[in-house]
Amino acid sequence: MTALPVVAASAGLFDAMQVSVSAGRVFDSGHDERADDIAVVGKYAAERLGINRVDTQPALFIGERPFTVVGIIDTVSGRADLQDSVIIPHSTAQREFDISAPAAVEIRTQLGAAHQVGKQAGVAINPNDPALVQVSAPPPRAHSVLG
């Protein structure tokens, strides 16, 4: 039995982390809304599980529940840990594992906007108590003047 990290995510994670797939596809918001029993696996997780294609609809088990593998992640920006993980829709994880809120939110910004978005993220995520949200954003870059 191979133990791998399981990550619950919204479909937006794949865009935010600029994921590319080597086989199949990532799940979309429809899969998340329906709480489908599907998974996307990172390339190292796929190797450990012996999965190299998804057209045969391979399944993996999380606990006693089977999940159909719909895609294999090839590359990812900023979250290398996803390459050794099993990723399932957030609503599926809520139903199966009784999780309530996400532990982390990944936000992709335009170049130069990360600091400003970071200052506003706490209010956007938890307007009633933004201080409960820990935000990590890169510091603003110092501007230099060439003379």
Side-chain angles (χ1 to χ4, degrees):
M1 182 162 94
T2 302
L4 295 167
V6 177
V7 175
S10 69
L13 175 73
F14 303 113
D15 286 334
M17 296 293 99
Q18 296 180 314
V19 166
S20 69
V21 295
S22 60
R25 59 175 288 204
V26 296
F27 56 80
D28 59 36
S29 59
H31 295 111
D32 195 19
E33 289 169 14
R34 292 187 302 271
D36 291 342
D37 292 337
I38 61 169
V40 173
V41 296
K43 67 180 177 181
Y44 303 127
E47 287 173 10
R48 291 175 59 189
L49 293 167
I51 298 172
N52 57 16
R53 52 192 282 188
V54 297
D55 59 334
T56 58
Q57 297 184 322
L60 57 83
F61 283 81
I62 301 174
E64 300 293 319
R65 192 150 193 88
F67 287 77
T68 302
V69 178
V70 297
I72 300 172
I73 292 175
D74 184 39
T75 61
V76 61
S77 173
R79 287 279 312 263
D81 63 308
L82 294 178
Q83 291 181 317
D84 200 29
S85 299
V86 174
I87 306 158
I88 63 174
H90 185 262
S91 60
T92 305
Q94 284 180 308
R95 182 193 71 219
E96 291 302 311
F97 308 111
D98 198 29
I99 63 168
S100 56
V105 176
E106 301 286 343
I107 301 171
R108 182 164 195 78
T109 64
Q110 294 294 322
L111 186 61
H115 183 69
Q116 183 64 34
V117 170
K119 289 189 333 189
Q120 299 169 351
V123 174
I125 293 168
N126 189 353
N128 293 327
D129 198 352
L132 290 177
V133 179
Q134 180 181 359
V135 177
S136 174
R141 298 182 84 175
H143 298 286
S144 62
V145 177
L146 299 176

